[in-house]
Amino acid sequence: MFDNRYGTGQSTLDGLIRATNVLLAGKTLVVCGYGWCGRGLASRAAGHGAHVVVTEVDPVRALEAAMDGYRVMTLAEAAPQADFIVTVTGDINVIDRHHFELMKDGCIVANSGHFNDEINLAALDDMASGVSRPRPYVEAYRLRDGRTVNVLAQGRLVNLAAAEGHPAAVMDMSFANQALCAEYVARHHAELVPRVYDVPADIDAAIAALKLSSMGIGIDVLSEEQRRYLASWESGTS
Amino acid sequence: MFDNRYGTGQSTLDGLIRATNVLLAGKTLVVCGYGWCGRGLASRAAGHGAHVVVTEVDPVRALEAAMDGYRVMTLAEAAPQADFIVTVTGDINVIDRHHFELMKDGCIVANSGHFNDEINLAALDDMASGVSRPRPYVEAYRLRDGRTVNVLAQGRLVNLAAAEGHPAAVMDMSFANQALCAEYVARHHAELVPRVYDVPADIDAAIAALKLSSMGIGIDVLSEEQRRYLASWESGTS
Amino acid sequence: MFDNRYGTGQSTLDGLIRATNVLLAGKTLVVCGYGWCGRGLASRAAGHGAHVVVTEVDPVRALEAAMDGYRVMTLAEAAPQADFIVTVTGDINVIDRHHFELMKDGCIVANSGHFNDEINLAALDDMASGVSRPRPYVEAYRLRDGRTVNVLAQGRLVNLAAAEGHPAAVMDMSFANQALCAEYVARHHAELVPRVYDVPADIDAAIAALKLSSMGIGIDVLSEEQRRYLASWESGTS
Amino acid sequence: MFDNRYGTGQSTLDGLIRATNVLLAGKTLVVCGYGWCGRGLASRAAGHGAHVVVTEVDPVRALEAAMDGYRVMTLAEAAPQADFIVTVTGDINVIDRHHFELMKDGCIVANSGHFNDEINLAALDDMASGVSRPRPYVEAYRLRDGRTVNVLAQGRLVNLAAAEGHPAAVMDMSFANQALCAEYVARHHAELVPRVYDVPADIDAAIAALKLSSMGIGIDVLSEEQRRYLASWESGTS
């Protein structure tokens, strides 16, 4: 979770900026998907002075985005005003042929989700009369009606392709998590049945505590009285 | 969740400002607890130009607060620099005698958690040589060493006491939720066993969709192809 | 400047919230005018989760607003999507008849500029079939086409009418400024000719230094070497 | 002004991230100097989730920084808690020997001001037992007490050295400004005397209007009535 939320936001913007050297302030940036990656990206882009628009298919997430201060609309509504469209959904063909048809000249599209499925490049290719490469990592598709659509990193993860991926400061937590999970499995395999388990809350807490400590941050500890008070509440509600 | 996250932030600040008429810009405001209420309050206070410090007992939440850009420390470290301390934890004696001893002259403390247990007023009363009321909702405790500690609304919920509580625009969602849950229970009582259930995800989604529609916001809908792609993933991981 | 920038933002929002008890998160708030008052208001409203739109007549200020991350458009474009429209321009009839005609049902308009000239209430009155008062400080104009436009505080300064005006923490600086200016005039009147003078930079610096000191903030002091370096630059450019 | 305010913020962060690939969220970043460059950098760094501390020598700017929500202190106070220190002052030896002595192990220092005078590298070199280069653009000075101080781009402008400098979208305004000023001088040279002139306000307004138009942004125009109202005010105050 931490690498998606905090790592992807910074590294995706980093990829975008390295690939294009475009100023984000004053630009309209559309984030497709408001999961952890999308939240991080939206927040960092707004912090750069971009106008952020969010598209979602889940109404609860869409409402969260609206309450967090972003404009929410369909991608068909967003496409004509977008300077950047970035997909972080994990789904397929999120940017599709009918979206390309609506984009303004010069729009830049990129993907920071799982795979290179999120942008329908086959459709774009079919609409184009030619492709040039004005900068590394930038493919400019010249459409038959004269507009240009720029695709970054051929639709592959722009934060890995054009930048360096997640900073070490975030990945350390992910790797620690995986290592401790492996240890947990080794210790408890007798009790586990074959299904998908969540990471035990204890491991998340232990890693977060280590990370805080490495950042020189101390936090409060519940007193015995406070523990009892909370426990009485929990028992009180059942 | 929506009323805690978005309602409490605004209404707590509203209560603080009405009770004190103090400018938040440039002030240090300490938020005790980084649950949904605390997040909302921290974000709105930062939006008013306050320096926000977060205290927590849970390391994962503490780390989230730090990564969200707030300073995180123990309340004992935060107390000497605080202009405001607001509790939103749901626990008891979060602000205790040894914290009052560390506060600077004029510090303002308030509670926006569950009950009036979060501030140890008995201890403060014991430390004080007198109490005056400079404004409605403000009790100024004169300590024997000459410092003053101001308590808002006698430690009761400052957003209810000194402001008007949650705006209707948020409570409508909470009430809709409760109404639809009651209907759900009425329909499914035969299948339910006596324990605490989460709100069914369908109800949350239905309420969010209604709210978005009332805000004039349309969102995207998964295509059949996208549904299949996501489903194949879900089956692929099990 | 400080009272306009930091005081008006907080006190205008305070007035809006007290008058309406409406949640700002997710709402579209239009700020007419991007001077110091408008900047403060835009920043504080965005900090509450509102979508902020700025209207301006000055292109440099309009561009600043866009680069600061706000949407900029004409008031005629903004009116149909606005939940709130607040004027802070110092001009007359900024919200005029043709804007009222475009507003959506329930729009809330308020003024936080100099006088009660910024909203053309005579035109609105002429368009209305009736006026009711659902809450103190709120006048609901029922238009003949069925829509309602809500006017706060009869177009008078909403931060003075419905809230308490600028917090003391800001006005102290303004009064100190006026007092020190009066002293300056008394001392230098022999040298002054009858025209409008700017506040001498020394007085601004002295007041800011006092304020910082009262906030417990120390700042760096130029070394002799640094002074010489800067002076050599200044002489170098003339 | 626009290139300093909006360009430097993004390009300096870009340089920092490219040089170090360090996650900014949760880090303490000290900005020395709160002119236009410093404001842009502070705002963009806060938007990345960094804790921003500002140091200044001018009390008015220092107070603005505090009211804008940043912590303000002397560099000697800030140095022990800094993960990054970036100078944007235009002065000499802003980071000096006694600051290096206070930094924590691993601190990263960079300059985004005028020249490479802002960091006293001679003093740092004198304190070091060795220098290594763990990444391009990063010089790690090993101090005799065991700590390491990392200097980016040898104290040269980190946004030019490690990134690509200002994006074209900002520099176009600066160059347009210079071109139109040259034209203005050519036309008005008979009336000009040899001194430093400000850019005529008309030119700034013309460039901003062109830029807005290129961004597809329309703004309001004063009506004849509004012009008269404003003019009556201006005459009223003289």
Side-chain angles (χ1 to χ4, degrees):
Chain A
M1 186 187 87
F2 277 96
D3 57 338
N4 279 343
R5 178 146 49 140
Y6 300 106
T8 304
Q10 176 176 311
S11 65
T12 301
L13 275 196
D14 188 20
L16 239 62
I17 293 171
R18 290 198 205 186
T20 65
N21 199 33
V22 166
L23 185 74
L24 290 173
K27 296 290 188 313
T28 297
L29 185 147
V30 178
V31 177
C32 303
Y34 202 62
W36 285 121
C37 291
R39 275 152 223 249
L41 177 59
S43 150
R44 295 323 177 215
H48 264 71
H51 309 296
V52 175
V53 173
V54 171
T55 73
E56 247 301 340
V57 294
D58 177 88
V60 173
R61 287 182 171 184
L63 186 53
E64 284 180 270
M67 304 295 266
D68 287 345
Y70 305 112
R71 282 194 299 152
V72 177
M73 59 187 78
T74 64
L75 185 50
E77 291 172 288
Q81 49 190 294
D83 296 296
F84 293 89
I85 305 178
V86 187
T87 55
V88 277
T89 70
D91 207 340
I92 192 172
N93 294 341
V94 175
I95 306 180
D96 213 340
R97 175 184 279 267
H98 63 286
H99 302 119
F100 291 125
E101 277 161 6
L102 297 164
M103 290 177 193
K104 69 179 178 193
D105 185 33
C107 184
I108 295 166
V109 302
N111 168 39
S112 202
H114 282 295
F115 292 102
N116 59 341
D117 290 336
E118 305 214 8
I119 304 172
N120 190 345
L121 288 180
L124 183 60
D125 207 62
D126 186 58
M127 295 163 74
S129 60
V131 183
S132 63
R133 173 172 286 220
R135 288 171 63 101
Y137 307 115
V138 182
E139 232 106 62
Y141 287 77
R142 185 85 183 169
L143 305 193
R144 291 206 186 75
D145 58 18
R147 288 174 303 129
T148 297
V149 171
N150 298 290
V151 177
L152 303 191
Q154 300 179 294
R156 294 198 177 76
L157 277 66
V158 70
N159 57 335
L160 294 181
E164 296 186 47
H166 293 322
V170 158
M171 289 313 291
D172 60 357
M173 287 190 281
S174 299
F175 293 143
N177 198 303
Q178 290 166 22
L180 290 174
C181 286
E183 188 206 8
Y184 179 90
V185 172
R187 285 201 189 163
H188 296 80
H189 63 91
E191 312 141 38
L192 300 174
V193 297
R195 68 166 177 87
V196 178
Y197 282 89
D198 283 339
V199 173
D202 284 0
I203 291 186
D204 276 344
I207 292 168
L210 282 172
K211 183 78 190 173
L212 287 168
S213 157
S214 81
M215 295 164 82
I217 293 176
I219 64 172
D220 283 317
V221 177
L222 289 175
S223 69
E224 192 45 43
E225 178 195 44
Q226 290 176 321
R227 258 180 225 287
R228 274 200 311 271
Y229 182 88
L230 289 178
S232 74
W233 263 105
E234 277 156 22
S235 58
T237 57
S238 66
Chain B
M1 185 187 88
F2 277 97
D3 57 337
N4 279 341
R5 178 145 49 139
Y6 301 106
T8 304
Q10 177 175 310
S11 65
T12 300
L13 275 196
D14 188 20
L16 238 63
I17 292 172
R18 289 198 205 187
T20 64
N21 200 33
V22 165
L23 184 75
L24 289 174
K27 297 290 189 311
T28 298
L29 186 147
V30 178
V31 177
C32 304
Y34 202 62
W36 286 121
C37 291
R39 274 153 224 249
L41 177 58
S43 150
R44 296 323 177 214
H48 264 71
H51 309 296
V52 175
V53 173
V54 171
T55 73
E56 246 300 339
V57 295
D58 178 88
V60 172
R61 288 180 170 185
L63 185 54
E64 282 180 273
M67 303 295 265
D68 286 346
Y70 306 113
R71 283 193 299 151
V72 177
M73 58 186 79
T74 65
L75 185 50
E77 291 171 289
Q81 51 191 292
D83 296 296
F84 294 89
I85 306 177
V86 187
T87 55
V88 278
T89 71
D91 207 341
I92 193 171
N93 295 339
V94 174
I95 305 181
D96 212 340
R97 176 184 280 268
H98 62 285
H99 302 119
F100 291 125
E101 277 162 4
L102 297 164
M103 290 176 193
K104 68 179 178 192
D105 186 32
C107 184
I108 295 167
V109 302
N111 170 37
S112 203
H114 284 294
F115 293 102
N116 59 342
D117 291 336
E118 305 213 9
I119 304 173
N120 190 343
L121 288 180
L124 183 60
D125 206 61
D126 187 57
M127 294 163 74
S129 60
V131 182
S132 63
R133 175 173 284 219
R135 288 172 63 103
Y137 306 114
V138 182
E139 232 106 61
Y141 287 77
R142 185 83 180 169
L143 304 194
R144 292 207 183 76
D145 58 17
R147 289 174 302 128
T148 297
V149 171
N150 299 290
V151 177
L152 302 191
Q154 301 179 294
R156 292 197 179 79
L157 276 65
V158 71
N159 58 335
L160 295 180
E164 298 184 46
H166 293 321
V170 158
M171 288 315 289
D172 61 357
M173 286 191 280
S174 299
F175 293 143
N177 198 303
Q178 289 166 22
L180 291 175
C181 286
E183 188 205 11
Y184 180 90
V185 171
R187 286 201 188 165
H188 295 80
H189 63 89
E191 313 140 38
L192 300 174
V193 297
R195 67 167 178 86
V196 179
Y197 283 88
D198 283 341
V199 173
D202 283 1
I203 292 187
D204 277 343
I207 292 168
L210 281 172
K211 182 78 190 172
L212 286 167
S213 157
S214 80
M215 295 165 81
I217 293 176
I219 63 172
D220 283 317
V221 176
L222 288 176
S223 68
E224 192 45 43
E225 177 195 45
Q226 290 176 321
R227 258 179 225 287
R228 273 201 311 270
Y229 183 87
L230 289 178
S232 75
W233 263 105
E234 278 155 21
S235 60
T237 58
S238 65
Chain C
M1 184 187 87
F2 277 97
D3 58 337
N4 279 342
R5 178 147 47 141
Y6 300 106
T8 304
Q10 177 177 309
S11 64
T12 300
L13 274 197
D14 188 19
L16 238 63
I17 292 172
R18 290 198 206 187
T20 63
N21 199 32
V22 166
L23 184 75
L24 290 173
K27 297 290 189 311
T28 298
L29 187 148
V30 178
V31 178
C32 303
Y34 202 62
W36 285 122
C37 291
R39 275 153 225 247
L41 177 58
S43 148
R44 294 324 177 214
H48 265 71
H51 310 295
V52 175
V53 173
V54 171
T55 73
E56 248 298 340
V57 296
D58 178 89
V60 173
R61 287 180 171 185
L63 186 54
E64 283 179 272
M67 303 295 265
D68 287 345
Y70 305 113
R71 283 194 299 153
V72 177
M73 59 186 78
T74 65
L75 185 50
E77 291 171 288
Q81 51 190 294
D83 297 294
F84 295 89
I85 305 177
V86 187
T87 55
V88 279
T89 71
D91 209 338
I92 192 171
N93 294 342
V94 175
I95 304 180
D96 214 340
R97 176 184 278 269
H98 62 285
H99 301 119
F100 291 124
E101 278 162 4
L102 297 164
M103 290 176 194
K104 68 178 178 193
D105 185 33
C107 184
I108 295 166
V109 303
N111 169 38
S112 202
H114 283 294
F115 293 103
N116 58 342
D117 291 337
E118 305 213 9
I119 302 172
N120 190 344
L121 288 181
L124 183 59
D125 206 61
D126 186 58
M127 295 163 75
S129 60
V131 182
S132 62
R133 173 172 287 220
R135 288 170 63 102
Y137 306 115
V138 181
E139 232 106 61
Y141 287 77
R142 185 83 181 171
L143 303 193
R144 291 207 185 74
D145 57 18
R147 287 174 304 125
T148 297
V149 171
N150 299 290
V151 177
L152 302 191
Q154 301 179 295
R156 292 197 178 79
L157 276 66
V158 71
N159 57 335
L160 295 180
E164 298 185 46
H166 294 322
V170 158
M171 289 313 291
D172 61 357
M173 286 191 280
S174 299
F175 294 143
N177 198 304
Q178 289 167 21
L180 290 174
C181 285
E183 187 206 10
Y184 180 90
V185 171
R187 286 201 188 164
H188 295 80
H189 65 90
E191 312 141 38
L192 300 172
V193 298
R195 67 165 177 87
V196 178
Y197 283 88
D198 283 339
V199 173
D202 284 0
I203 292 186
D204 277 343
I207 292 168
L210 281 171
K211 183 78 191 171
L212 285 168
S213 157
S214 80
M215 294 166 81
I217 293 177
I219 63 172
D220 283 317
V221 176
L222 288 175
S223 69
E224 192 45 43
E225 177 196 46
Q226 289 177 322
R227 257 179 225 287
R228 274 200 311 269
Y229 182 89
L230 289 176
S232 75
W233 264 104
E234 277 156 22
S235 60
T237 58
S238 66
Chain D
M1 185 187 86
F2 277 96
D3 57 338
N4 279 342
R5 178 146 49 139
Y6 302 105
T8 304
Q10 176 175 311
S11 65
T12 300
L13 274 196
D14 188 19
L16 238 63
I17 291 171
R18 290 199 205 187
T20 65
N21 199 34
V22 166
L23 184 75
L24 290 173
K27 296 290 189 312
T28 297
L29 185 148
V30 179
V31 178
C32 303
Y34 201 63
W36 285 122
C37 291
R39 275 153 224 248
L41 177 58
S43 149
R44 294 324 177 213
H48 264 71
H51 310 294
V52 175
V53 173
V54 171
T55 73
E56 246 300 340
V57 296
D58 178 89
V60 172
R61 287 180 170 185
L63 186 53
E64 284 179 271
M67 304 295 265
D68 286 346
Y70 305 112
R71 284 193 299 153
V72 177
M73 59 186 79
T74 63
L75 185 50
E77 291 171 287
Q81 50 191 293
D83 297 296
F84 293 88
I85 305 177
V86 187
T87 55
V88 277
T89 71
D91 208 340
I92 192 171
N93 294 341
V94 175
I95 305 180
D96 214 340
R97 176 184 279 268
H98 63 286
H99 301 120
F100 291 125
E101 278 160 5
L102 297 164
M103 290 176 193
K104 69 179 177 192
D105 185 33
C107 184
I108 295 167
V109 303
N111 169 40
S112 202
H114 283 296
F115 293 102
N116 59 341
D117 290 336
E118 305 214 8
I119 303 172
N120 190 344
L121 288 180
L124 183 59
D125 206 62
D126 186 57
M127 294 164 74
S129 60
V131 182
S132 63
R133 172 171 286 218
R135 286 171 64 101
Y137 306 116
V138 182
E139 232 106 61
Y141 287 76
R142 185 85 182 170
L143 304 194
R144 291 207 186 73
D145 58 18
R147 287 174 303 129
T148 297
V149 171
N150 299 291
V151 177
L152 303 190
Q154 300 179 296
R156 292 196 178 79
L157 277 67
V158 71
N159 57 336
L160 296 180
E164 297 186 47
H166 294 322
V170 159
M171 289 314 291
D172 61 358
M173 287 191 281
S174 299
F175 293 142
N177 198 304
Q178 289 166 22
L180 290 174
C181 285
E183 187 206 11
Y184 180 90
V185 171
R187 285 200 189 166
H188 295 80
H189 64 90
E191 312 140 39
L192 299 173
V193 297
R195 67 166 177 87
V196 178
Y197 283 88
D198 283 339
V199 174
D202 284 1
I203 291 186
D204 276 343
I207 292 168
L210 282 172
K211 182 78 190 173
L212 286 167
S213 157
S214 80
M215 295 165 81
I217 292 176
I219 63 172
D220 283 317
V221 177
L222 288 175
S223 69
E224 192 45 43
E225 178 195 45
Q226 290 177 322
R227 258 179 226 287
R228 275 200 311 269
Y229 182 88
L230 288 177
S232 75
W233 264 105
E234 275 155 23
S235 59
T237 57
S238 67

